[in-house]
Amino acid sequence: MSSSAVPSATGTLYVVATPIGNLDDISARALRTLSEVALIAAEDTRHSLRLLQHFGIATPLAACHEHNERDQGGRFLARLQAGEDVALISDAGTPLISDPGFHLVRAARAAGVRVVPVPGACALVAALSAAGLPSDRFAFEGFLPAKTVGRRARLEQVREDVRTLIYYEAPHRILDCLADMRDVFGSERMAVLGRELTKTFETLRGLPLAELHGWVASDSNQQRGECVILVAGWQAPEGEDAVSGEALRVLDLLLAELPLKRASALAAEITGVRKNLLYQAALDRQKDA
Ligand code: SAM
């Protein structure tokens, strides 16, 4: 392989990022690696064949997807242990990032095989780099559950996380997902939708969640293609009139079972927050619903 590689008896597993849309985003090192390895382990061989043909690379491909990764991992390991170099790629972007590869990488490292990243495109990093939300601390939350109950439960877990939150989402769920985010994080929480990044219809739109939901609802074009949703981290409320997230959580639970007045009175007793503040918060939540 490349001159920088340390000679060893076993081969090297290269984890190679491929483009997320724009083919020009492939790196010179990725092209060289894919040309020089003995075998490319690919999530979808037919999909990757088109990419390789585009770049005139004729390296053999073998399937390594979520259904066969554990069983077939041994096959790739055997090749590596026989001294051959293998590259791992996924359909788009960086392998292992909401894509297969974790089991193979773990098994290779456990077997003492050298694993080398060949970095490149990754949708979450591309979105974060251009979203204008704080990037010093962020949490990648991957895909949310498909159904609203599970999705809301996952959102609740990070409602008061101060880091920028990053989600992958399928286009047919984008509206429901934004509606749940608006309800759990609040209408005013800032969010950015990154859609079709690096492609012709690339969009990066930042708005408070209620407005972002309204904008996507009113334009069916925004409900197509691939998307990343970034949500600004939680900011502690300021001043004595602030209602904490925990008090709102108690209020929401009670509102689901009781009339507004009774729910806010009980929430005030439980949390120690003034009754009129919780009553107003309950009114606001009903208005947003
Ligand atoms: N491994 C990939 C990466 O490094 O980003 C992610 C693979 S995951 C199966 C696919 C999801 O990534 C899509 O559903 C979408 O949420 C996001 N994604 C991939 N390409 C994208 C793009 N060009 N623009 C926006 N989001 C994208």
Side-chain angles (χ1 to χ4, degrees), residues 175-231:
L175 261 187
D176 288 346
C177 179
L178 285 173
D180 285 342
M181 286 178 165
R182 176 201 60 199
D183 294 349
V184 173
F185 296 140
S187 301
E188 297 306 318
R189 182 95 69 107
M190 195 65 191
V192 175
L193 175 65
R195 211 176 56 79
E196 294 288 90
L197 298 173
T198 79
K199 305 186 202 177
T200 312
F201 297 105
E202 179 178 87
T203 309
L204 267 161
R205 187 83 202 260
L207 288 169
L209 273 166
E211 285 179 51
L212 189 61
H213 175 267
W215 178 68
V216 173
S218 66
D219 180 356
S220 60
N221 284 327
Q222 305 307 328
Q223 298 162 36
R224 300 204 179 105
E226 298 194 280
C227 53
V228 184
I229 306 168
L230 304 96
V231 183

Side-chain angles (χ1 to χ4, degrees), residues 20 92-94 97-99 122-123 143 168-169 196-197 226-228:
I20 56 169
T94 302
I97 306 302
S98 295
D99 265 343
C122 178
F143 285 96
Y168 283 168
E169 192 49 279
E196 294 288 90
L197 298 173
E226 298 194 280
C227 53
V228 184

Side-chain angles (χ1 to χ4, degrees), residues 145 147-154 180:
K147 298 211 171 108
T148 201
V149 173
R151 188 161 53 222
R152 282 180 181 239
R154 277 270 299 278
D180 285 342

